[in-house]
Amino acid sequence: MSWELPPLGAIRVFEAAARLGSFTKAAEELGMTQSAASYQIKVLEERAGTPLFIRKTRHIALTEAGQQLAPHASDAFSALADAWVATKGGATGVLSVTTMETFATNWLAVWLGTFQLMHPDLAVKVNTSPRLVDFTREDMDIGIRTGTGNWPGLTAHYLFKADYTPMLSPRLAESVGGIRRPEDLYKVPLCCADDPWWKIWFEAAGRSFEPDRVIAGPMLGSQAYDAMAALTDRGAAILTRNIYSALLAKGQLIQPFEVLGSDGDGYWLAHLESRRNVPKIKAFRDWVLAQTAEIRAQEERQT
């Protein structure tokens, strides 16, 4: 089979320049001079018969034709790199995972050591950020996020529900004579009392949320920080049950009520569909799914 393709070197420079938005940065990444990179782009544009970049005084921008070509070029080089890794065999190198701080500190930090023992030649690099990444442009392999699993271009694997419920330390509960009814929560400070989850939970418990009765607790803006506040007796926090099960099992936090609030979201593991068979991605995906299998089984038994 014959392929009508431009020079691979020119495509490589184009992909880097499109991704980085600069001929100079592309040249630096590829270890060549800026003039050499510009020449490769000129060769490619002559082959294409149309400009691929708009040259401006201090930056470059993709033309319509360049915008059409750029994602396919990135996908092609990504697939080639993955195929080369697979050819060498095994899950090796660096696996980049993006997730929220809550999941990283309270699930990954607890269990990741077992994965590293199974795959000593694979280093896991975790980036904690609430921002959704663009897998086609950023150096990330896997994302773990909350939502409904509907992200175009990605394959998403369901892990468990993101349902939530009030938790607090046993000491704080004892200090007010116990938390036996939803109304007893008004006796202690509520962390992030303006979080919509509180209202949803109270309604799930058959009560109306009464903000005027709330003792305002720390406003920390993150489940991870709210949990720390709860552990140190500073208030009750509304937390994801499946994320904080270890602290509940140790008795460091208590869950006074079985009622769970829900906004329909779950935790999902996602990656590019085109990279589903990359050894390092497959190894991590299969491990996470195995680690969370019992939670999913329990959810099925409860439905």
Side-chain angles (χ1 to χ4, degrees):
M1 180 182 294
S2 61
W3 300 90
E4 184 181 345
L5 293 173
L8 185 60
I11 285 286
R12 190 180 180 205
V13 174
F14 166 79
E15 189 280 331
R19 173 166 42 84
L20 299 171
S22 166
F23 293 155
T24 301
K25 291 179 180 179
E28 291 173 354
E29 179 177 289
L30 300 174
M32 62 174 61
T33 65
Q34 195 270 345
S35 59
S38 297
Y39 174 76
Q40 292 291 342
I41 295 298
K42 182 179 179 182
V43 169
L44 192 62
E45 289 178 326
E46 289 177 353
R47 290 288 191 95
T50 185
L52 299 173
F53 290 97
I54 300 171
R55 279 80 166 172
K56 299 186 178 181
T57 304
R58 295 185 179 275
H59 68 281
I60 58 174
L62 288 166
T63 63
E64 184 176 348
Q67 291 174 2
Q68 183 176 4
L69 179 60
H72 296 293
S74 294
D75 288 347
F77 279 108
S78 177
L80 184 59
D82 293 340
W84 177 242
V85 171
T87 299
K88 293 191 293 182
T92 60
V94 177
L95 177 78
S96 296
V97 179
T98 174
T99 188
M100 301 90 67
E101 187 172 20
T102 299
F103 188 87
T105 57
N106 295 283
W107 197 94
L108 273 182
V110 174
W111 299 108
L112 189 57
T114 61
F115 178 79
Q116 296 281 212
L117 289 173
M118 295 166 60
H119 301 277
D121 295 328
L122 179 59
V124 179
K125 178 182 177 182
V126 179
N127 173 266
T128 56
S129 171
R131 182 180 63 87
L132 294 177
V133 305
D134 182 348
F135 284 95
T136 64
R137 291 185 172 272
E138 300 180 56
D139 188 21
M140 289 292 166
D141 299 302
I142 282 177
I144 298 175
R145 286 285 186 269
T146 55
T148 58
N150 183 23
W151 296 294
L154 301 182
T155 295
H157 303 269
Y158 175 70
L159 302 181
F160 47 70
K161 292 179 181 178
D163 295 353
Y164 39 84
T165 190
M167 300 183 195
L168 70 165
S169 70
R171 291 178 300 276
L172 183 59
E174 291 169 6
S175 72
V176 295
I179 305 292
R180 297 179 177 84
R181 302 174 305 149
E183 292 81 2
D184 291 335
L185 288 167
Y186 295 124
K187 299 177 182 179
V188 300
L190 301 187
C191 299
C192 288
D194 62 350
D195 189 326
W197 282 8
W198 282 112
K199 182 176 185 294
I200 293 172
W201 183 85
F202 268 90
E203 290 175 352
R207 304 289 196 279
S208 295
F209 183 52
E210 302 176 62
D212 292 342
R213 298 180 62 183
V214 169
I215 301 174
M219 301 287 288
L220 302 174
S222 164
Q223 271 201 76
Y225 300 142
D226 289 347
M228 289 300 298
L231 283 167
T232 54
D233 310 330
R234 295 183 62 195
I238 189 144
L239 305 173
T240 300
R241 174 67 171 77
N242 286 326
I243 294 291
Y244 291 93
S245 57
L247 294 179
L248 292 171
K250 293 176 182 178
Q252 293 175 274
L253 291 176
I254 61 171
Q255 176 187 333
F257 309 101
E258 289 297 318
V259 176
L260 298 175
S262 176
D263 49 16
D265 285 348
Y267 276 82
W268 298 76
L269 182 151
H271 53 75
L272 287 171
E273 166 63 23
S274 60
R275 304 192 69 203
R276 64 189 181 281
N277 292 323
V278 175
K280 62 181 180 180
I281 290 178
K282 185 177 186 301
F284 189 80
R285 177 189 66 220
D286 292 350
W287 172 76
V288 172
L289 288 173
Q291 290 293 124
T292 55
E294 178 55 35
I295 301 177
R296 291 191 298 281
Q298 184 177 356
E299 289 178 355
E300 290 181 4
R301 289 193 293 269
Q302 293 173 347
T303 56

